Amino acid sequence: MLYLYIKHLHVTAAVVSIVLFIIRACWSVKGSPLLQSGFARIAPHIIDTILLLAGIYLASVLGWHQPWIAAKIVGLVLYILVGTLAIKRGKTPTSRTVAAIVAVVIFLYIVGVAMTKQPMSWLA
């Protein structure tokens, strides 16, 4: 029963996380001062911490030896790296836009891995 609650928490946190990422990426591309607001700086860290902790719990229950879990972890690392380009480190609005699009595609890959339980994600 606890597993299902944590799984729903994980999925909910993932949805909120990507929505906040897209909003922040748009603000970054536009150069909006809203990106520096307290909410925009703190909320994503809280949501992403919940997402990560729930993911660690779920992976520990299912077993770390699963190839699809390794694929999700690799995808997560790539998502974080590209996401920092989209929001902070991209030098131009164009580079931040491209990075944001790539980050969303990586996120969709991770979702596909989670849903199919296959490292090839939607292509499996």
Side-chain angles (χ1 to χ4, degrees):
M1 189 74 147
L2 178 61
Y3 175 86
L4 286 178
Y5 288 126
I6 301 296
K7 182 178 177 181
H8 288 295
L9 177 64
H10 183 70
V11 170
T12 301
V15 170
V16 172
S17 179
I18 193 63
V19 168
L20 289 176
F21 172 79
I22 291 169
I23 291 168
R24 291 169 55 225
C26 288
W27 288 345
S28 177
V29 168
K30 292 180 180 180
S32 173
L34 291 172
L35 188 59
Q36 300 306 318
S37 70
F39 176 80
R41 294 175 59 134
I42 296 170
H45 295 294
I46 294 169
I47 297 300
D48 291 344
T49 299
I50 292 168
L51 177 61
L52 182 60
L53 291 174
I56 290 170
Y57 171 81
L58 295 170
S60 69
V61 169
L62 295 171
W64 293 94
H65 63 280
Q66 313 262 356
W68 65 273
I69 290 177
K72 281 185 71 173
I73 293 169
V74 170
L76 175 63
V77 170
L78 291 173
Y79 172 73
I80 291 169
L81 292 173
V82 175
T84 61
L85 289 173
I87 294 178
K88 293 181 183 176
R89 296 185 315 153
K91 302 286 186 216
T92 66
T94 301
S95 67
R96 290 192 302 270
T97 300
V98 170
I101 292 167
V102 171
V104 170
V105 169
I106 294 169
F107 182 88
L108 293 173
Y109 163 80
I110 295 168
V111 169
V113 170
M115 293 181 73
T116 65
K117 308 275 192 281
Q118 297 292 323
M120 290 299 292
S121 188
W122 302 104
L123 301 174

